[in-house]
Amino acid sequence: MSTSVTASGVCAIVGRPNVGKSTLLNAIIGEKVAITTRIPQTTRHAIRGILTREDVQIVFVDTPGVHKPKTLLGSRLNDIAQASLSGVDVAVLVVDGAKGIGTGDAFMADLVSGLGVPIIGVLNKVDRIGKDAQLPAIAALAELADFDEIVPVSARRGEQVEVLTDLIAARMPEGPALYPAEMVTDSEEAQRVAEIVREKAMVVMREEVPHSIAVTVEEMGPGRSENVTAIFASIYVERDSQKGMVIGRQGAVLAQIGTDARPELEALLGTKVYLDLRVKISKEWQRDPKKLDKLGY
C-alpha cells in the first residue's frame, strides 16, 4: 500500500458490555480482528485494529466492557479497559440503541469525559429500532456528555460506519504512521488463533460455560504435510463437569468447536490447518491471580 500519512493517532472504542464494540471495530477495519459473540465480556484484551488510509492512520483500541466485576478476572478486565484510555486522541462511546440508555452508559460517559479529548457518541444497532425511535435515543445519548458528534450506526450491517470513520480521521493529530501500512492488528498470531478457538467454543457452548473458558496455544508450526500448519491448543475450564460438557458425548462438542474454527484459522494463516484441541481443568482460574497470569490475563 502506497501512503503518505500526515496524521495518525489512537482512538479508543468504549462502552458497557455487549453494545457491539468489537463488531464496530471489525466493520471499520474491514476484516475480523476481534472475536464477537452475543455473550457479554467476550473481549478480554485491549485489541488494536489499525486502519491506514492515504493520508491518515488510526489505531483503534477495542476495550473490554466495563462492568461490576464478580471475579478477579472481571476486575482485571475493568483495569485493562481503563488503562487503555491513557494517551488516546479520540474516544468513541458506543451505546446499544435497541436496549436504550442506562446507568452503565452514564458511567462510561463520565469516564471518557475526563480524558480531555474529542468524544464521538455512537448509537449502535439502529437496524433493530424504528426510524421514529432513533431521534429520542439520540437525544438521550446527547444528555450523557458534551459530544463533538453523535452518529447512529449499524455495525452489523455496516451502515454509517464510513461516516463515523471520516469523523474520527478528521480529528487525528499530525504525525507519521505508527505501524506499517499493511498491518491491520498488532495482536500476535498465536493470540489471534487462541481467540478464534475461544469464540467458537463460547458460541457452541452458548450459555452453559462461556465465561469459564480460556484458550492457550501450546504449540504452532509446520505440519507433517506441505502447506499445513499444526496447532496444539488447550481449552481450560474450571470444573470437571464443565470438561465433560466441552468434550461432549463421544467428543462431539469438541469436534464441532474444531470444525467451526478451522475455516477461519486457515483464512488467517493462509494454509491448511491440523488442529489438536485438548480440554484441561484449572480450578477457579477466574479468581486465582497466578492462574490468570498463566492464561495471559
Side-chain angles (χ1 to χ4, degrees):
M1 182 189 296
S2 177
T3 61
S4 53
V5 170
T6 57
S8 63
V10 180
C11 174
I13 302 175
V14 300
R16 57 185 170 84
N18 223 29
V19 295
K21 299 183 296 295
S22 297
T23 302
L24 179 61
L25 173 65
N26 292 337
I28 290 171
I29 301 301
E31 67 176 85
K32 185 173 182 175
V33 295
I35 65 170
T36 61
T37 76
R38 295 183 177 181
I39 301 164
Q41 287 106 55
T42 294
T43 301
R44 292 180 179 169
H45 302 277
I47 307 296
R48 289 176 179 82
I50 304 159
L51 178 68
T52 304
R53 290 181 165 184
E54 202 59 42
D55 59 348
V56 64
Q57 184 179 81
I58 313 171
V59 181
F60 290 92
V61 183
D62 175 22
T63 61
V66 175
H67 60 290
K68 186 176 289 186
K70 297 179 180 178
T71 63
L72 180 58
L73 172 65
S75 296
R76 289 194 175 184
L77 296 187
N78 281 348
D79 291 343
I80 289 169
Q82 299 201 32
S84 300
L85 298 177
S86 175
V88 303
D89 299 291
V90 175
V92 169
L93 174 63
V94 185
V95 301
D96 184 338
K99 288 188 176 179
I101 308 297
T103 55
D105 300 307
F107 175 81
M108 293 305 304
D110 289 342
L111 189 65
V112 296
S113 292
L115 298 175
V117 301
I119 308 170
I120 298 176
V122 170
L123 183 73
N124 192 23
K125 306 186 184 182
V126 294
D127 54 303
R128 298 184 186 177
I129 61 176
K131 291 282 186 182
D132 293 342
Q134 286 190 30
L135 285 179
I138 291 171
L141 174 56
E143 292 180 5
L144 295 184
D146 184 16
F147 293 105
D148 287 58
E149 304 277 356
I150 292 180
V151 187
V153 309
S154 169
R156 185 171 66 93
R157 293 185 176 180
E159 295 171 4
Q160 292 276 91
V161 170
E162 192 74 14
V163 171
L164 172 63
T165 307
D166 288 343
L167 292 171
I168 297 167
R171 288 165 174 78
M172 288 293 107
E174 291 185 4
L178 303 171
Y179 290 91
E182 65 274 9
M183 285 185 67
V184 295
T185 182
D186 66 350
S187 298
E188 294 183 2
E189 201 165 66
Q191 181 183 337
R192 296 184 73 181
V193 166
E195 286 288 88
I196 288 170
V197 173
R198 183 168 70 88
E199 177 191 62
K200 303 312 176 189
M202 291 178 73
V203 171
V204 169
M205 298 308 300
R206 294 188 177 89
E207 298 299 324
E208 290 169 313
V209 291
H211 294 300
S212 293
I213 291 173
V215 177
T216 61
V217 173
E218 311 295 348
E219 188 179 342
M220 186 167 73
R224 294 181 179 178
S225 304
E226 189 177 349
N227 198 40
V228 173
T229 300
I231 300 170
F232 297 86
S234 298
I235 300 175
Y236 286 89
V237 293
E238 296 184 288
R239 295 187 290 278
D240 289 337
S241 59
Q242 294 173 340
K243 180 177 180 179
M245 286 189 285
V246 173
I247 293 172
R249 187 185 296 271
Q250 297 182 327
V253 175
L254 189 62
Q256 186 63 54
I257 294 168
T259 297
D260 292 349
R262 197 169 289 107
E264 282 194 30
L265 295 174
E266 291 180 343
L268 172 66
L269 301 173
T271 68
K272 293 290 185 182
V273 164
Y274 168 78
L275 180 60
D276 183 288
L277 296 177
R278 306 292 172 94
V279 183
K280 299 180 180 180
I281 299 170
S282 181
K283 293 188 182 297
E284 300 296 327
W285 67 260
Q286 293 187 74
R287 294 169 172 79
D288 187 316
K290 289 184 178 179
K291 291 176 180 178
L292 284 169
D293 290 343
K294 181 180 177 182
L295 293 170
Y297 301 122

